[in-house]
Amino acid sequence: MPEEEVVTRLKKAAAAKKRAEKSADNAHQAFEVSVADALRGGLKPAHVAELTGYSYETIRRIARAHHVEPLREPTVTSRKKSQPGGDSPA
């Protein structure tokens, strides 16, 4: 195969890969926005995880990244941990 043809195929493949990556990035962003909207709309994170097939932790991270308010107040233990020196033994 002539070098010119190989170079042309390589350039086409690289361009196709870039388009696919951009499309995947757009889909990822749209998914995160949809998850955040669902949580703001009142769906519980566990239910969103079940519906999407993603883990609860992934849904929690998406919620945090999109500044979705927690559905409940922090527990006593987590409040103590968030205070300075909160998780060091007394």
Side-chain angles (χ1 to χ4, degrees), residues 2-14:
E3 184 179 340
E4 193 175 296
E5 190 177 331
V6 171
V7 170
T8 300
R9 287 177 61 187
L10 181 60
K11 286 181 178 180
K12 285 182 180 180

Side-chain angles (χ1 to χ4, degrees), residues 4-83:
E4 193 175 296
E5 190 177 331
V6 171
V7 170
T8 300
R9 287 177 61 187
L10 181 60
K11 286 181 178 180
K12 285 182 180 180
K17 183 177 183 288
K18 284 184 182 181
R19 285 191 305 274
E21 288 172 344
K22 183 169 176 74
S23 178
D25 286 344
N26 290 341
H28 180 77
Q29 290 172 3
F31 172 73
E32 286 195 357
V33 168
S34 294
V35 167
D37 288 346
L39 295 170
R40 285 188 188 105
L43 287 180
K44 293 184 178 184
H47 189 63
V48 173
E50 180 184 320
L51 291 171
T52 61
Y54 284 83
S55 71
Y56 178 87
E57 181 61 18
T58 298
I59 301 304
R60 187 196 67 75
R61 288 178 182 171
I62 291 171
R64 182 176 238 179
H66 288 266
H67 308 289
V68 176
E69 294 294 321
L71 294 175
R72 62 179 173 83
E73 292 295 316
T75 61
V76 173
T77 303
S78 63
R79 261 188 263 138
K80 284 182 182 177
K81 284 183 180 180
S82 69
Q83 295 174 353

